[in-house]
Amino acid sequence: MRVVVIGAGILGSSVAYHLAMNGIEVEVFDEVHQGKATLAGAGIVCPWATKVTDPEWYALYAAGARYYADLVEGLTQRGETDLGYGRVGALVVAEDRKELDAAEQRIQSRIAHAPEAGNVRRVSAAEAKRLFPPLREDLDGIYIPGGSRVDGRLLAAAMTRAAVAAGAVLRHDHVSLELREGRARAIRSDGSPIEADEIVVTAGAWASQILRPLGMEHPVRPQRGQIVHLRLSGTETRSWPVLLPMTSHYMLAFDDSRVVIGATREDNTGFDYRVTASGQAEVLNAGLAIAPGLASATIIETRIGFRPAGDGYKPILGRVAGMDGLVIGNGLGAAGLTIGPYAGRLLAQICMGEAPDTDTSPYAPASA
Amino acid sequence: MRVVVIGAGILGSSVAYHLAMNGIEVEVFDEVHQGKATLAGAGIVCPWATKVTDPEWYALYAAGARYYADLVEGLTQRGETDLGYGRVGALVVAEDRKELDAAEQRIQSRIAHAPEAGNVRRVSAAEAKRLFPPLREDLDGIYIPGGSRVDGRLLAAAMTRAAVAAGAVLRHDHVSLELREGRARAIRSDGSPIEADEIVVTAGAWASQILRPLGMEHPVRPQRGQIVHLRLSGTETRSWPVLLPMTSHYMLAFDDSRVVIGATREDNTGFDYRVTASGQAEVLNAGLAIAPGLASATIIETRIGFRPAGDGYKPILGRVAGMDGLVIGNGLGAAGLTIGPYAGRLLAQICMGEAPDTDTSPYAPASA
Amino acid sequence: MRVVVIGAGILGSSVAYHLAMNGIEVEVFDEVHQGKATLAGAGIVCPWATKVTDPEWYALYAAGARYYADLVEGLTQRGETDLGYGRVGALVVAEDRKELDAAEQRIQSRIAHAPEAGNVRRVSAAEAKRLFPPLREDLDGIYIPGGSRVDGRLLAAAMTRAAVAAGAVLRHDHVSLELREGRARAIRSDGSPIEADEIVVTAGAWASQILRPLGMEHPVRPQRGQIVHLRLSGTETRSWPVLLPMTSHYMLAFDDSRVVIGATREDNTGFDYRVTASGQAEVLNAGLAIAPGLASATIIETRIGFRPAGDGYKPILGRVAGMDGLVIGNGLGAAGLTIGPYAGRLLAQICMGEAPDTDTSPYAPASA
Amino acid sequence: MRVVVIGAGILGSSVAYHLAMNGIEVEVFDEVHQGKATLAGAGIVCPWATKVTDPEWYALYAAGARYYADLVEGLTQRGETDLGYGRVGALVVAEDRKELDAAEQRIQSRIAHAPEAGNVRRVSAAEAKRLFPPLREDLDGIYIPGGSRVDGRLLAAAMTRAAVAAGAVLRHDHVSLELREGRARAIRSDGSPIEADEIVVTAGAWASQILRPLGMEHPVRPQRGQIVHLRLSGTETRSWPVLLPMTSHYMLAFDDSRVVIGATREDNTGFDYRVTASGQAEVLNAGLAIAPGLASATIIETRIGFRPAGDGYKPILGRVAGMDGLVIGNGLGAAGLTIGPYAGRLLAQICMGEAPDTDTSPYAPASA
């Protein structure tokens, strides 16, 4: 059996990794694009605070978080330790006490079934600032010990590398699809066809244009996010929790004295790969309002990512009915780094003809 | 009348410029891609030394060079002077005197009809080195006063800017094509259609994947070129001639103490956007062998371009028979910066229903 | 006669250029430092609106502006045209009408003696916005046709290149000074002495550490400026005036669809070469408040410059009394790109034993 | 007690770390310079193969390697794990079998006293290629299991961070020294003095200019090294041994599919911070000659470092006689990343008035 995976972001690299671990022959095509969501995205693994209430989706979100322990252990055993992963906890803060109370209630009701979230507790403004030193002095918070962060760029690279070490082949080229006798056929940029029993399209925001030649109108659009990376030279930041201020802007820190503030959510920009004056100002102003202690931090880069945004928050996962050998994974949106590795495993199971650990039928792609 | 141009490289920006100058409504879509040939390419305008002998193609090549004077004058009148253009002459050198003699004969027979080439003459090794100081001391040459250089990146930006100043609209987004009732229809990345009477595809190496949904097998493939840019800080280089050593590696200089050595010609790399160890070594070794005086020059960058390489050297220019409202320009290969502006003008004439100044029928695209 | 110039910013490159034009043997040492003011600074040549009233200093400031026409002509004759120079006019705007009235009065009283300022006139908000399209809609202004802009980086490179073409030698190395028998002696980084009749220290913010081994306490400190460069892709910006909003933040545009917003003025940061979160936010917020049309512009880079800030605004220009063969130029502060080329000419005259065109005695360095 | 450390490279950061661990008040000044040796250098810890025979120096070299285990353990306990450190082994290869035999003899005689070198053994060309896959097919080798590599940039950052976590203060500014009543006094860039009981100058190639105002002629010069970093995307490289081809060019790999080829050794370039055409070609040609499998690797960057090169290979370590409170560490040359952390510990002991673990008197700086 031979599988072609198109796109080696968090989802595609996980598909490749899980297939290769099972001895399947995999060829991964990863085109150079600017604005890949996985490379830009800040990785927060903390599903328990989300405001989204759909139970099916929440179950998937929580399962994604739960799977991280296994994933990290598996990669570590293969020598892959450079993942930017840390179970550093999450700190939920809010200006409005009622909003914080509501968040606490939401979290408490969920973690009953999620021992991995740890012993969630309310913390005073002083303790919150002790946990995340640049924070304002007046913000109470909720601390979730089981929250964690991961660097999507490193994690995807590690899964791809582990796949290659297990026999997968990685190519940096464009792949086109065409319809041939009721099947999708993959074609290299030199026009030659690629032999495959299964084609897995995990191309994120680029999937729509890849699927169009098959006559499919794939409902995923690019949503631009601008994410600012700061450095606090000499400062030990590795144990700082993820900061969730109950707005669309969040913060998290990495081992190398780096703090990340995210992110704009810009629809209708298409694939316009740019850091804009207003986007940068929005993110900096939001960050400094919550964490004024970042004022003198160094701006080291602003990353641009095109999140694959579908209709609502709903993922697209599974086999395309009406067309043999075509599997799609997409639309994870802002939950991509939490759900991605687990969803990749589910898609690998589908390719191998197994029943996926979580039923993906609610997320089935439209039939061809 | 409303025209959509897909791709704003040297060819597409020229189409847009010439249409906008004629009052046509133009919308230019220029997706961010790494490896655009125009942005990477070194611009040599010196057709008279080419070894290619096909008379039709040579006529187009020579016409492209001849058109430059008009083009530069027109842009200058519109305030666009930052083109990197200079009529600095070209210096043809060869290790083998017989090869140089053959080149001289070739050049002389051609410039009878090309007064713009100027007074071509044989130069001694000493004079050659005076003209291009880093040169080896033992290479005789042929000096062609009318040779010139241009910075493709600046020229395309200037034509686009002049088009926008004349009313064209520039967007940075992906455009897909689909077949709809016998016509090509252009679609934005958000899925909405774009109204257009004519669609001009000048997308270079990316054209094949754009045209595939129309069922067209467009015979253009990416050919990777790696081009090294050096700086000779403090050195006046602006008047140095283009250096043509009768191999695939050439050199040219720009105003800002910059010297460019080009280029690898790598087929079968697909869209693999990378500077490679062997590619960099190849270009540097070739350059230093001819011009050892560049040894201590600073490497400021290596550009990667995917040349749109067709079957042989033959361009593709014109209307697609069997499909209304679709015009294609492509396949100029290494001659792109010479022919591009002129070919863009021809395509603009075709869009406007005029007879092009040069008959493009030998270059007609395959019918749909 | 042999002169060593330490520092090839706007001032040092001008000294070298004027000396070399006069046949003097010059060796220029330009160490690689991050944060050179000339490379970062935005070049506004418009002295007539300044709030500083000291008549001697204003005379120097105005003379600096007046000299630009000669300078540009001289460089152009030598083939140096890539200076980023444009006589694009300046637009003074203010939120407060009284402040604008005061500025107008100030300008009118000065331009009586400065015909090069052109026909200064009040412009309506609508006309102001027509001149500088991203501007807010409610700001009246004063238009000064003779205001101009220049790219300090390009101008200094051009003067250095012209000096080298006339025989000067350019080296990229550190030079130390030491006191030897009552004279300053210059030493290379390999410890060997450099022969020189005159040593000119034009090292900006780095001069204090260079002069310290001579026992001199040079009163110049680094003042950090963060300057944001934006691109308005496809937009013709080359004719936009310099925008002076009567605050410390200004804007100006260059040929390549680039708009610059400057700048922070940060004392007591030392040589801390960094773009900071608060500095970037300050500049962006100031720019967007005046010119909201820049919201979707691309941030292409933020430059950091250490302005050489002396006591007050007063320059330091001339020979050091009590020590043979040592000339200093420094402390031009924010006026550096206006005064620099002219002041360099004065220093060259001093080196050659001529009386400088403007009396520099009010700016004499402290004696050794 | 209060110590000022000037320069936070591998040596200065180690001084600060060891002092701060002992509760000493430390202020570290680290100016932004391009070309810091620690940030550029490739870190090989494998003293046993060196051709240098001086017994005293070899003892220090070996002690530096031996100390690594303790160092890494100490940092790990403080949470610093991102060091790029790996005990991956070293592979010595040579074209000439006699040279390899001599190397083997040399190594064997040394490791009698160095159990940490592990079980050294001869390996066939096939096994050598298995260990380091891009290697040529015809090179026998010697495998030294105890050889290791470290990323100097990460290690210095980690030691500095650990020092700051223990109370040290890190500043990014220039410090000048001046002679005041027989003592060195440190001065900030704003001219204010810095209180200190001890001043430690660990400024590498920049130390000579820092010490000159004290009347000291410090015999250390910058030696430029150009080091090429390659990526083998998708390839597991983390366990590849350091490759020592018995020339001045070496190779080593890091966790992130990165392979480094080093390095030029350029004297008399001063602080000329540039990647040159010939330097890049030299390193690439040397690398590809030994390891042709790197041909298609991606060039990701070329780092420039100014090694502090003294007279011969001899380090300078200790207190300056004749001047109270001044300690110098420098001149480790190519052995810097091996010896640096250990030497920093010795200097910390000297500052604290302790007898250093290794007698540094053979390396005493010249008296003032």
Side-chain angles (χ1 to χ4, degrees):
Chain A
M1 183 181 182
R2 196 179 157 82
V3 180
V4 163
V5 178
I6 303 177
I10 192 72
L11 194 43
S13 62
S14 172
V15 173
Y17 169 64
H18 287 97
L19 286 172
M21 288 302 116
N22 280 281
I24 306 293
E25 201 178 333
V26 186
E27 194 166 0
V28 183
F29 283 84
D30 193 44
E31 190 173 358
V32 174
H33 279 303
Q34 289 188 302
K36 293 181 182 183
T38 295
L39 305 190
I44 297 171
V45 184
C46 182
W48 312 290
T50 182
K51 290 177 185 168
V52 180
T53 54
D54 179 275
E56 238 159 29
W57 182 83
Y58 177 75
L60 187 66
Y61 199 20
R66 200 172 308 121
Y67 181 60
Y68 254 88
D70 279 4
L71 177 78
V72 170
E73 194 192 335
L75 287 167
T76 302
Q77 281 170 3
R78 283 163 188 89
E80 297 292 348
T81 58
D82 195 19
L83 314 174
Y85 178 79
R87 194 177 173 271
V88 292
L91 181 62
V92 178
V93 294
E95 302 234 14
D96 179 352
R97 184 167 297 256
K98 279 183 190 159
E99 202 183 355
L100 197 66
D101 290 344
E104 189 176 13
Q105 214 169 350
R106 208 160 57 227
I107 295 165
Q108 290 293 2
S109 73
R110 279 164 173 162
I111 62 172
H113 312 288
E116 68 272 21
N119 184 20
V120 173
R121 62 191 161 86
R122 198 74 172 243
V123 293
S124 68
E127 190 177 354
K129 192 166 165 50
R130 199 184 51 70
L131 288 165
F132 194 94
L135 196 65
R136 257 166 55 186
E137 293 181 351
D138 61 339
L139 292 176
D140 288 5
I142 303 161
Y143 181 66
I144 309 173
S148 61
R149 46 84 171 157
V150 67
D151 186 323
R153 188 177 287 206
L154 296 180
L155 178 58
M159 290 193 291
T160 299
R161 205 156 43 214
V164 170
V169 173
L170 172 65
R171 305 205 187 280
H172 299 290
D173 195 6
H174 176 80
V175 174
S176 293
L177 296 184
E178 63 175 18
L179 197 56
R180 177 68 63 111
E181 294 164 19
R183 278 186 74 92
R185 191 168 75 151
I187 302 167
R188 293 186 190 84
S189 70
D190 67 0
S192 64
I194 308 166
E195 292 299 313
D197 300 296
E198 300 277 352
I199 296 171
V200 182
V201 178
T202 46
W206 287 267
S208 299
Q209 62 198 68
I210 289 175
L211 292 166
R212 177 155 297 128
L214 303 179
M216 296 172 64
E217 192 55 46
H218 188 62
V220 167
R221 307 280 167 258
Q223 182 192 55
R224 187 168 67 190
Q226 304 189 38
I227 301 176
V228 176
H229 287 236
L230 305 174
R231 179 149 288 142
L232 285 163
S233 187
T235 303
E236 191 277 276
T237 59
R238 90 181 64 81
S239 61
W240 293 8
V242 171
L243 190 68
L244 301 171
M246 293 282 88
T247 68
S248 67
H249 297 91
Y250 54 80
M251 271 166 261
L252 70 162
F254 286 102
D255 287 3
D256 50 349
S257 304
R258 192 157 42 106
V259 177
V260 176
I261 316 176
T264 61
R265 293 176 179 241
E266 301 167 78
D267 292 307
N268 304 318
T269 60
F271 289 100
D272 188 7
Y273 181 83
R274 302 188 296 116
V275 180
T276 64
S278 57
Q280 178 93 329
E282 172 194 323
V283 174
L284 288 172
N285 289 336
L288 292 172
I290 295 287
L294 295 174
S296 69
T298 310
I299 298 183
I300 48 177
E301 65 173 318
T302 301
R303 295 188 184 166
I304 299 291
F306 296 112
R307 292 184 202 93
D311 299 333
Y313 51 83
K314 217 169 174 183
I316 298 168
L317 294 172
R319 218 171 248 299
V320 175
M323 190 170 303
D324 283 357
L326 182 65
V327 172
I328 296 179
N330 210 343
L332 303 182
L337 289 175
T338 301
I339 302 181
Y342 182 66
R345 186 163 173 257
L346 300 180
L347 295 180
Q349 290 169 332
I350 289 169
C351 284
M352 296 185 292
E354 301 174 5
D357 287 349
T358 291
D359 175 21
T360 58
S361 59
Y363 310 116
S367 51
Chain B
M1 184 180 179
R2 196 180 155 82
V3 180
V4 163
V5 177
I6 303 176
I10 192 72
L11 194 44
S13 63
S14 173
V15 173
Y17 169 63
H18 286 97
L19 286 172
M21 288 302 116
N22 281 282
I24 306 293
E25 201 178 333
V26 186
E27 194 166 0
V28 183
F29 283 84
D30 194 45
E31 190 172 357
V32 175
H33 278 304
Q34 289 188 303
K36 294 180 182 184
T38 295
L39 306 190
I44 297 170
V45 184
C46 182
W48 313 290
T50 183
K51 290 179 185 166
V52 180
T53 55
D54 179 274
E56 238 160 29
W57 182 82
Y58 177 74
L60 187 66
Y61 199 19
R66 201 173 308 122
Y67 181 59
Y68 254 87
D70 278 3
L71 177 78
V72 169
E73 194 192 335
L75 287 168
T76 302
Q77 281 172 2
R78 282 164 187 90
E80 297 293 347
T81 58
D82 196 18
L83 314 174
Y85 178 78
R87 193 176 174 273
V88 293
L91 181 63
V92 177
V93 295
E95 302 236 11
D96 179 351
R97 185 167 297 255
K98 279 183 192 158
E99 203 183 354
L100 196 66
D101 290 344
E104 189 176 12
Q105 213 169 351
R106 210 160 55 227
I107 294 165
Q108 291 292 0
S109 74
R110 279 165 175 164
I111 62 171
H113 313 287
E116 67 274 20
N119 184 18
V120 172
R121 61 192 163 85
R122 199 72 172 244
V123 293
S124 68
E127 190 178 352
K129 192 167 164 51
R130 197 184 51 71
L131 287 165
F132 195 93
L135 195 66
R136 257 166 56 186
E137 294 182 352
D138 60 341
L139 291 176
D140 289 4
I142 303 161
Y143 181 65
I144 310 173
S148 61
R149 45 85 171 157
V150 67
D151 187 323
R153 188 177 288 205
L154 296 179
L155 178 59
M159 290 194 290
T160 299
R161 205 157 41 213
V164 169
V169 173
L170 173 65
R171 305 205 187 281
H172 300 289
D173 195 7
H174 175 80
V175 174
S176 293
L177 296 183
E178 62 174 18
L179 197 56
R180 177 68 63 108
E181 295 163 19
R183 279 185 73 91
R185 191 166 76 152
I187 302 167
R188 293 188 189 82
S189 69
D190 67 0
S192 63
I194 308 167
E195 292 300 312
D197 300 297
E198 300 278 352
I199 296 172
V200 183
V201 177
T202 46
W206 287 267
S208 300
Q209 63 197 67
I210 289 175
L211 292 166
R212 178 157 294 129
L214 304 179
M216 297 171 64
E217 192 56 46
H218 187 63
V220 167
R221 307 279 167 259
Q223 182 193 54
R224 189 167 67 190
Q226 305 188 38
I227 301 176
V228 176
H229 287 236
L230 305 174
R231 178 150 288 142
L232 284 164
S233 188
T235 304
E236 192 275 279
T237 60
R238 89 180 66 81
S239 61
W240 293 8
V242 171
L243 191 68
L244 300 172
M246 294 281 87
T247 67
S248 68
H249 296 91
Y250 53 81
M251 270 165 262
L252 71 163
F254 286 102
D255 287 3
D256 51 347
S257 302
R258 193 155 43 105
V259 177
V260 177
I261 316 175
T264 62
R265 293 176 180 241
E266 302 167 76
D267 292 307
N268 305 317
T269 61
F271 289 99
D272 189 6
Y273 181 83
R274 303 189 296 116
V275 179
T276 64
S278 57
Q280 178 93 327
E282 172 195 323
V283 173
L284 288 172
N285 290 336
L288 292 172
I290 296 286
L294 295 173
S296 71
T298 311
I299 297 183
I300 49 176
E301 64 173 320
T302 301
R303 295 188 185 167
I304 299 292
F306 296 112
R307 291 185 202 92
D311 298 334
Y313 50 83
K314 218 171 172 182
I316 298 168
L317 294 171
R319 216 171 251 300
V320 176
M323 191 170 303
D324 284 356
L326 182 65
V327 172
I328 295 179
N330 211 344
L332 303 183
L337 289 175
T338 300
I339 302 181
Y342 182 65
R345 187 162 172 257
L346 300 179
L347 294 181
Q349 291 169 331
I350 290 170
C351 284
M352 296 185 292
E354 302 175 5
D357 286 349
T358 292
D359 176 23
T360 58
S361 59
Y363 309 117
S367 50
Chain C
M1 184 180 180
R2 197 180 153 82
V3 181
V4 163
V5 178
I6 304 176
I10 193 74
L11 194 44
S13 63
S14 172
V15 173
Y17 169 62
H18 286 98
L19 286 172
M21 288 302 115
N22 280 280
I24 307 293
E25 201 178 331
V26 186
E27 194 167 358
V28 184
F29 283 84
D30 194 45
E31 189 173 357
V32 175
H33 279 305
Q34 289 187 302
K36 294 181 182 184
T38 295
L39 305 191
I44 297 171
V45 185
C46 183
W48 312 290
T50 181
K51 289 178 184 166
V52 180
T53 56
D54 180 275
E56 240 160 27
W57 182 82
Y58 177 74
L60 188 66
Y61 198 21
R66 199 172 309 121
Y67 181 58
Y68 254 88
D70 279 5
L71 177 78
V72 169
E73 194 191 334
L75 287 167
T76 302
Q77 281 171 4
R78 282 164 188 91
E80 296 293 348
T81 57
D82 195 18
L83 313 173
Y85 178 78
R87 195 176 172 272
V88 292
L91 181 63
V92 177
V93 295
E95 301 234 11
D96 179 352
R97 184 167 298 254
K98 280 182 191 160
E99 203 184 354
L100 197 65
D101 290 344
E104 189 176 13
Q105 212 169 352
R106 210 160 55 228
I107 295 164
Q108 290 292 359
S109 74
R110 279 164 174 161
I111 62 171
H113 312 287
E116 69 272 21
N119 184 20
V120 172
R121 61 191 162 85
R122 199 73 173 243
V123 293
S124 67
E127 190 177 353
K129 192 165 165 51
R130 197 184 50 72
L131 287 165
F132 195 94
L135 196 66
R136 257 166 57 185
E137 294 182 350
D138 61 340
L139 292 176
D140 288 4
I142 303 161
Y143 182 65
I144 308 173
S148 61
R149 45 84 171 159
V150 66
D151 187 322
R153 187 176 288 205
L154 295 179
L155 178 59
M159 290 193 290
T160 299
R161 205 156 43 211
V164 170
V169 173
L170 172 65
R171 303 205 188 282
H172 299 288
D173 194 7
H174 175 80
V175 174
S176 292
L177 297 184
E178 64 175 15
L179 197 56
R180 178 65 65 109
E181 296 165 18
R183 279 185 72 92
R185 193 168 74 152
I187 303 167
R188 291 186 191 84
S189 70
D190 67 0
S192 64
I194 309 166
E195 293 299 312
D197 299 297
E198 301 278 354
I199 296 172
V200 182
V201 178
T202 45
W206 287 268
S208 299
Q209 62 197 68
I210 288 175
L211 293 166
R212 178 156 294 129
L214 304 179
M216 296 172 64
E217 192 54 46
H218 187 63
V220 167
R221 307 278 167 260
Q223 182 192 55
R224 187 169 66 192
Q226 305 189 37
I227 301 177
V228 176
H229 287 236
L230 305 174
R231 179 148 289 142
L232 284 163
S233 188
T235 303
E236 191 277 278
T237 60
R238 90 181 64 83
S239 62
W240 292 8
V242 170
L243 190 68
L244 300 172
M246 294 282 87
T247 68
S248 67
H249 296 91
Y250 53 81
M251 269 165 262
L252 70 162
F254 286 102
D255 287 3
D256 51 347
S257 304
R258 192 158 41 107
V259 177
V260 176
I261 316 177
T264 61
R265 292 176 179 242
E266 302 167 77
D267 294 306
N268 304 316
T269 60
F271 290 100
D272 189 5
Y273 181 83
R274 302 188 295 117
V275 179
T276 64
S278 57
Q280 178 94 329
E282 171 195 323
V283 174
L284 288 172
N285 289 336
L288 292 172
I290 295 287
L294 296 173
S296 70
T298 310
I299 297 183
I300 49 177
E301 65 173 318
T302 300
R303 295 188 184 167
I304 299 292
F306 296 113
R307 293 186 201 91
D311 299 334
Y313 51 82
K314 218 170 172 181
I316 297 169
L317 293 172
R319 217 171 248 301
V320 176
M323 190 171 301
D324 284 357
L326 182 65
V327 172
I328 297 179
N330 211 343
L332 303 183
L337 289 176
T338 300
I339 302 180
Y342 182 67
R345 187 162 173 258
L346 300 180
L347 295 180
Q349 290 169 331
I350 290 170
C351 283
M352 295 186 292
E354 302 174 4
D357 286 349
T358 291
D359 176 23
T360 58
S361 59
Y363 310 117
S367 50
Chain D
M1 182 178 180
R2 195 178 155 83
V3 180
V4 163
V5 178
I6 303 176
I10 192 74
L11 193 43
S13 62
S14 172
V15 173
Y17 169 63
H18 286 97
L19 286 172
M21 288 302 115
N22 280 280
I24 307 293
E25 201 178 331
V26 187
E27 194 166 358
V28 184
F29 283 84
D30 194 44
E31 190 173 357
V32 175
H33 278 305
Q34 289 188 302
K36 294 181 180 183
T38 295
L39 304 192
I44 297 170
V45 185
C46 182
W48 312 289
T50 182
K51 290 177 184 168
V52 180
T53 55
D54 179 274
E56 240 159 27
W57 182 82
Y58 177 74
L60 187 66
Y61 199 20
R66 200 173 308 121
Y67 181 57
Y68 255 88
D70 279 4
L71 177 80
V72 169
E73 193 191 336
L75 287 168
T76 303
Q77 281 171 3
R78 283 164 188 90
E80 297 293 348
T81 57
D82 194 19
L83 314 174
Y85 178 79
R87 194 177 174 272
V88 291
L91 181 63
V92 177
V93 295
E95 302 235 13
D96 178 353
R97 184 166 299 255
K98 280 182 189 160
E99 202 184 355
L100 197 66
D101 290 344
E104 188 176 13
Q105 212 167 352
R106 208 160 56 230
I107 295 164
Q108 290 292 0
S109 74
R110 280 165 173 160
I111 62 171
H113 312 287
E116 67 273 21
N119 185 20
V120 172
R121 60 191 163 86
R122 199 73 173 242
V123 293
S124 67
E127 189 176 354
K129 193 165 164 50
R130 199 185 48 73
L131 288 165
F132 194 94
L135 196 65
R136 258 167 54 187
E137 292 182 351
D138 60 340
L139 292 176
D140 287 6
I142 303 160
Y143 181 66
I144 309 173
S148 61
R149 44 84 172 160
V150 66
D151 187 323
R153 187 177 288 204
L154 295 180
L155 178 58
M159 289 193 291
T160 298
R161 206 156 41 212
V164 169
V169 173
L170 172 65
R171 303 204 188 282
H172 300 288
D173 195 6
H174 176 79
V175 174
S176 292
L177 297 183
E178 64 175 17
L179 197 56
R180 177 68 64 108
E181 296 165 17
R183 279 186 72 93
R185 191 168 75 153
I187 302 168
R188 292 186 191 85
S189 70
D190 67 1
S192 64
I194 308 168
E195 293 299 313
D197 299 296
E198 301 278 353
I199 296 172
V200 183
V201 178
T202 46
W206 286 267
S208 298
Q209 62 198 68
I210 289 175
L211 293 165
R212 179 156 293 128
L214 304 178
M216 297 173 63
E217 193 54 47
H218 187 64
V220 167
R221 307 281 167 258
Q223 182 191 57
R224 189 169 65 192
Q226 304 189 38
I227 301 176
V228 176
H229 287 237
L230 305 174
R231 178 147 290 142
L232 284 164
S233 188
T235 304
E236 192 277 277
T237 60
R238 89 182 65 83
S239 62
W240 292 8
V242 170
L243 190 69
L244 301 171
M246 292 282 89
T247 68
S248 67
H249 297 92
Y250 53 81
M251 270 165 261
L252 70 163
F254 287 103
D255 288 2
D256 51 347
S257 303
R258 193 157 42 106
V259 177
V260 176
I261 316 176
T264 62
R265 294 176 180 241
E266 302 167 77
D267 293 305
N268 304 318
T269 61
F271 289 100
D272 189 6
Y273 180 85
R274 302 189 296 116
V275 180
T276 64
S278 57
Q280 179 92 329
E282 172 195 324
V283 174
L284 288 172
N285 290 335
L288 293 172
I290 295 289
L294 296 173
S296 69
T298 310
I299 298 183
I300 49 176
E301 65 174 318
T302 301
R303 294 187 185 169
I304 299 292
F306 297 112
R307 291 185 202 91
D311 299 333
Y313 51 81
K314 218 171 172 179
I316 298 169
L317 293 172
R319 219 170 248 298
V320 176
M323 191 172 300
D324 284 357
L326 183 65
V327 172
I328 296 178
N330 211 343
L332 303 182
L337 289 175
T338 301
I339 302 180
Y342 182 66
R345 186 162 173 258
L346 300 179
L347 295 180
Q349 291 169 330
I350 290 170
C351 284
M352 295 185 293
E354 301 175 5
D357 287 349
T358 291
D359 176 23
T360 59
S361 59
Y363 310 116
S367 51

